[in-house]
Amino acid sequence: MPVDLIVPLKPPRLGKSRLRGAVTDARHPSLVLALAADTVTAAASVVRRVLVVATDPAAVAPLRDCGAEIVSEQGAGDLNAALRRGEALVRADDPHSVVGALQADLPALRPDELAAALAEAAGRRAFTADWAGTGTTLLLSAPGAALEPRFGAGSAAAHAGTGAVALALPAPGLRRDVDTAADLAQAGELGLGPHTGRLLCEGSAA
């Protein structure tokens, strides 16, 4: 079953404000981009298409080398609006696929975890809650159905309230989003992807 994922992304220099301090201020944009690069790389090896909807496409252009297509959010205004823009573009090409929303801060994501989540969803509207159980790291539509994103505070409950099934698989890398330095350390315990791992190693050696 074809699956197309949408990854919304702010400009790296502005994103992940609570993560500031994990590296020097000068390296913060590179860290944000590295998180996204590891996320996209893992996803692109599993699904048909990864579409990054970016506030500043030029700032995230390196993600093309990781397998992403990049489009402008065109003033969408918020995360859910950016996802709906991406959904419209994907649906224009294939009205019948599964469309998903994937957060861009999953540096410990493994392709087998994502593949297992898609298998468990089995064509149902479904979501994966984050490590705390309150947020959402992955939201999937049913084939040809609306994505209906409800990202924001309490998104796991909001998505469940729209009929999405909460996936039960452990998938620690899929659930371990990174908002703070403590989150990044926990992701490191799971095993970081090469982009984030290399950036942190270079920072330690500097």
Side-chain angles (χ1 to χ4, degrees):
M1 185 181 303
V3 178
D4 301 316
L5 292 181
I6 305 161
V7 179
L9 197 57
K10 294 178 181 178
R13 62 185 174 80
L14 300 177
K16 293 292 167 190
S17 60
R18 290 195 291 148
L19 190 56
R20 290 194 180 277
V23 294
T24 64
D25 282 350
R27 294 171 66 81
H28 180 81
S30 296
L31 176 58
V32 174
L33 191 59
L35 301 178
D38 284 325
T39 304
V40 168
T41 297
S45 70
V46 176
V47 302
R48 177 176 64 179
R49 184 179 185 185
V50 177
L51 182 68
V52 172
V53 180
T55 308
D56 183 354
V60 300
L63 295 180
R64 290 193 176 94
D65 294 334
C66 300
E69 302 170 49
I70 301 173
V71 297
S72 171
E73 71 170 26
Q74 291 190 343
D78 63 26
L79 177 64
N80 292 311
L83 288 169
R84 288 191 293 270
R85 167 162 165 71
E87 179 184 12
L89 293 172
V90 168
R91 284 278 181 246
D93 291 334
D94 186 347
H96 307 296
S97 69
V98 171
V99 174
L102 183 68
Q103 297 284 41
D105 57 353
L106 305 171
L109 177 63
R110 298 290 180 263
D112 62 329
E113 293 179 329
L114 179 58
L118 299 179
E120 184 182 337
R124 299 174 295 173
R125 175 170 167 76
F127 72 96
T128 302
D130 65 8
W131 66 277
T134 56
T136 303
T137 59
L138 172 69
L139 174 67
L140 298 167
S141 76
L147 183 60
E148 297 183 61
R150 298 288 189 277
F151 286 89
S155 66
H159 289 132
T162 64
V165 176
L167 300 179
L169 78 169
L174 178 57
R175 296 182 187 276
R176 178 68 276 174
D177 55 341
V178 171
D179 290 317
T180 66
D183 295 341
L184 183 59
Q186 291 173 10
E189 293 175 1
L190 297 174
L192 295 170
H195 297 88
T196 306
R198 183 166 53 250
L199 182 138
L200 293 178
C201 286
E202 290 171 353
S204 297

